[in-house]
Amino acid sequence: MRILILGGDGYLGWPTAMHLSGHGHEVAVVDNYMRRNLMRDEDVEPLYKVPNLDERIRVWKDVGKYIIKKYIGDLNKWEFISQVFQEFQPDTIIHYAEQPSAPYSMLRREAATLTINNNVGVTANVIFAVREFCPDAHIIKLGTMGEYGTPNIDIEEGWIDIEHKGRNSKFLYPRQAGSLYHTTKIMDTDLLWYYVRMWELRVTDLMQGPVYGIFTEESSQDDRLLTFFSYDELFGTVLNRFIVQAVANHPLTVYGKGGQTRGYLNIRDTLNCVRLSLENPADYGELRIFNQFTETFSVNELAVKVQSAGSGLGLDVQIRSIENPRKELEEHYYNPAHTGLLELGLEPSFLTNTELVQMLEY
Ligand code: USQ
């Protein structure tokens, strides 16, 4: 397939590009380096330097003769996105091109409007570009489990049947986000669902939990192929932060009571979930939704796992609860369904001690 990866320089975008080109697909990546620019503006850095797309593409070609095409530009600009879509003519679009950080989205007004304008604007442009230039293409959109929030009932896989006054109807499962970033993802879902109904688009929405990990099969061939690894409080996700804190001899920063529970997955599983979704596409006029995670953990459970893996390596890992900078439930019910991707054939990589030790050692 001809696969266009939007946000192809990011934590998930670049590993996805290598994974799919390694599986024989024809891949192009699009990025405007927004993530790198925001990190520079906020004075935070990834753990190690990551080469730009030109060099990554060159290294990937040297290790396996794989060709990845690249477009640098802003997908919010219609002239740019229309040129990319007309030229590449994708069969599948994987849409990661969003400002991905919840804390960043709530830093100040400018960060909030950047998040709204980028995330919702790019999703709208993707919809219009598909309609105009490749109406048969399948859109795979990276959504987030955080769209559902933490309701006091079971979370279904995207949809819920409601019986009301003796009649039944199926609706999107209720969404109530805990951050502005997550709210923009809800807006994306609503836009996609509207145009699926209007224009018979084919869409898969992957409701992903926090991702952890560094290594993928493809990046093991050359360190210059490794993905970004952020550990700061804006762009680092919780387990990746805990790993770095453990090694840096900094107490693990559990926010508040630490009972916040989420559905986690290994970065390798993200790649497999995306590949399984594109190899088994949604139908015309279908918004297919999968809850994309493999295991649930509370923040406290993650901290204890990192502490125990660290002590096996002789590290004295302390855990410290700090005042929660976020407004969220710190103890709550959490029981989300997640059978769709397993039914497509996902074989999960669980969070083992070996996995943690490998990350700590690196
Ligand atoms: N947390 C801590 N200590 C820390 C960092 C985080 O206790 O040092 C807690 C947070 O308060 C939260 C939980 O860990 O309760 C998860 O936080 P996170 O920063 O790992 O993840 P989050 O902000 O929810 O966002 C991340 C990604 C986002 C993705 C989302 C999936 O940045 O792009 O959509 O995970 S989900 O959380 O399921 O919505």
Side-chain angles (χ1 to χ4, degrees):
M1 286 185 193
R2 296 173 63 78
I3 299 170
L4 191 60
I5 301 180
L6 313 180
D9 185 51
Y11 176 57
L12 302 174
W14 174 247
T16 305
M18 289 191 290
H19 182 73
L20 296 176
S21 84
H23 274 77
H25 296 291
E26 199 176 329
V27 174
V29 290
V30 190
D31 213 291
N32 63 349
Y33 292 131
M34 182 183 78
R35 159 79 179 264
R36 293 180 191 251
N37 293 331
L38 295 182
M39 290 179 72
R40 192 179 317 124
D41 291 349
E42 298 307 325
D43 201 18
V44 294
E45 285 183 346
L47 188 58
Y48 42 80
K49 287 219 178 317
V50 172
N52 70 14
L53 277 171
D54 285 316
E55 189 178 344
R56 295 170 132 183
I57 287 171
R58 223 177 2 254
V59 175
W60 182 234
K61 188 173 167 203
D62 289 347
V63 302
K65 310 258 177 302
Y66 305 109
I67 310 286
I68 292 181
K69 211 173 152 110
K70 164 205 85 172
Y71 298 93
I72 299 297
D74 183 354
L75 292 160
N76 230 335
K77 303 267 185 302
W78 178 249
E79 262 175 33
F80 173 70
I81 189 172
S82 55
Q83 178 227 322
V84 171
F85 273 64
Q86 283 177 85
E87 193 181 305
F88 189 69
Q89 288 291 324
D91 301 310
T92 302
I93 295 108
I94 301 173
H95 176 16
Y96 291 114
E98 306 229 341
Q99 190 298 97
S101 160
Y104 177 82
S105 74
M106 299 187 291
L107 266 186
R108 52 183 172 268
R109 185 184 55 79
E110 290 82 356
T113 51
L114 180 148
T115 306
I116 296 169
N117 293 337
N118 181 79
N119 294 6
V120 182
V122 170
T123 300
N125 269 353
V126 169
I127 291 168
F128 302 139
V130 166
R131 160 81 159 177
E132 201 159 325
F133 306 117
C134 49
D136 295 317
H138 176 207
I139 302 173
I140 298 182
K141 162 72 176 48
L142 264 286
T144 165
M145 285 298 291
E147 289 180 41
Y148 303 125
T150 49
N152 198 30
I153 56 171
D154 288 357
I155 295 174
E156 304 303 328
E157 206 144 8
W159 304 93
I160 189 166
D161 289 311
I162 293 188
E163 192 192 316
H164 183 62
K165 296 185 179 171
R167 302 178 70 83
N168 292 291
S169 227
K170 185 173 164 186
F171 295 94
L172 282 173
Y173 187 92
R175 266 84 171 147
Q176 50 182 4
S179 80
L180 175 71
Y181 151 76
H182 288 99
T183 302
T184 63
K185 307 290 277 196
I186 297 176
M187 295 174 181
D188 288 343
T189 304
D190 275 330
L191 269 184
L192 286 162
W193 177 216
Y194 171 67
Y195 283 111
V196 162
R197 299 194 313 272
M198 292 305 115
W199 291 345
E200 305 283 314
L201 299 183
R202 317 165 72 184
V203 179
T204 297
D205 199 353
L206 297 174
M207 310 291 278
Q208 187 169 243
V211 182
Y212 61 85
I214 311 176
F215 312 104
T216 66
E217 200 186 312
E218 294 76 20
S219 64
S220 63
Q221 303 177 62
D222 189 309
D223 268 8
R224 288 171 297 173
L225 296 173
L226 284 173
T227 191
F228 277 104
F229 190 88
S230 288
Y231 61 96
D232 61 274
E233 74 273 24
L234 291 176
F235 295 98
T237 49
V238 62
L239 183 58
N240 288 355
R241 275 168 66 69
F242 284 179
I243 295 282
V244 175
Q245 290 169 345
V247 175
N249 198 22
H250 186 290
L252 309 189
T253 52
V254 169
Y255 292 168
K257 293 187 186 137
Q260 302 94 309
T261 303
R262 303 285 183 269
Y264 291 84
L265 79 165
N266 190 299
I267 188 168
R268 290 193 297 272
D269 285 339
T270 295
L271 310 189
N272 286 318
C273 290
V274 169
R275 186 172 47 75
L276 288 166
S277 299
L278 68 92
E279 289 172 356
N280 303 277
D283 284 337
Y284 291 91
E286 182 188 13
L287 170 61
R288 182 178 59 165
I289 303 177
F290 294 130
N291 291 346
Q292 183 163 308
F293 67 93
T294 58
E295 299 170 276
T296 59
F297 298 110
S298 69
V299 171
N300 286 328
E301 285 169 333
L302 289 178
V304 168
K305 277 180 182 289
V306 172
Q307 185 178 49
S308 138
S311 70
L313 294 174
L315 297 170
D316 177 22
V317 181
Q318 302 295 316
I319 300 174
R320 186 179 301 158
S321 163
I322 61 172
E323 193 188 333
N324 196 341
R326 304 188 189 190
K327 191 164 178 178
E328 60 186 358
L329 294 183
E330 294 173 0
E331 283 169 331
H332 57 90
Y333 180 77
Y334 201 64
N335 187 29
H338 62 119
T339 52
L341 287 158
L342 296 171
E343 281 161 15
L344 283 188
L346 177 68
E347 289 171 18
S349 315
F350 293 116
L351 180 59
T352 57
N353 195 61
T354 313
E355 182 77 32
L356 287 168
V357 166
Q358 198 190 7
M359 287 173 73
L360 286 163
E361 282 178 332
Y362 185 79

